[in-house]
Amino acid sequence: MSATHKSINDLISLDSQITHINIDNDVKTNGVIGFDFSCFTQLQLLEIGSYSFCGMYTVRITGLQDLESVIVGANSFNDENGRDVCRDFCLKNCPKLKSLIVYEKSFAMYSVCEIENVDALEVIEMVGLREESNSFRYASLELKSIRIHSE
């Protein structure tokens, strides 16, 4: 079950059993300052378009047993006019997560990027069109509890 969503209200009203979430470009927060994607217990793919959810302060993705991929388009979860860098991103306890891809300037004002207990993780990519992506530019990036193995 999947669909493309064009507003924060679409996201809030989704069935918790959805497997794929695709957020359009330029989706506004409408005053919502934080979102916890953990309520979507069957989620496998989370894809967020560019210029979406600007002004959001907190993003949580935790305990999703089937999540395999998170992709965030350019300039999302960003607020170029904001000065407050007390924003946090938390990605934890997603045992099947293989990739986290964040395009340029997304989460630029976030001072916390916590990634923990994602043992299947193969790719963390901060994509920029130039040399720098500016994603999480105020954060110390810390990856916890990854298991390195050899074949």
Side-chain angles (χ1 to χ4, degrees), residues 10-58:
D10 283 353
L11 186 60
I12 291 169
S13 65
L14 281 177
D15 184 311
S16 66
Q17 303 300 307
I18 195 158
T19 58
H20 295 77
I21 295 177
N22 297 305
I23 305 294
D24 242 356
N25 293 333
D26 202 31
V27 172
K28 309 294 183 219
T29 62
N30 295 333
V32 175
I33 61 169
F35 198 83
D36 188 345
F37 289 91
S38 307
C39 61
F40 303 113
T41 58
Q42 306 300 310
L43 194 61
Q44 296 171 5
L45 169 68
L46 174 59
E47 187 168 4
I48 297 168
S50 297
Y51 297 93
S52 289
F53 302 134
C54 296
M56 197 169 281
Y57 281 72
T58 304

Side-chain angles (χ1 to χ4, degrees), residues 135-148:
S135 295
F136 297 106
R137 68 179 166 206
Y138 295 103
S140 293
L141 300 178
E142 185 175 351
L143 176 61
K144 296 181 182 179
S145 303
I146 189 89
R147 191 174 304 147
I148 306 295

Side-chain angles (χ1 to χ4, degrees), residues 104-116:
E104 72 176 5
K105 296 184 182 176
S106 288
F107 302 103
M109 301 299 287
Y110 279 56
S111 60
V112 175
C113 176
E114 187 175 15
I115 301 170
E116 186 174 332

Side-chain angles (χ1 to χ4, degrees), residues 50-68:
S50 297
Y51 297 93
S52 289
F53 302 134
C54 296
M56 197 169 281
Y57 281 72
T58 304
V59 179
R60 298 256 184 268
I61 305 169
T62 60
L64 296 178
Q65 301 302 307
D66 297 318
L67 184 64
E68 295 179 5

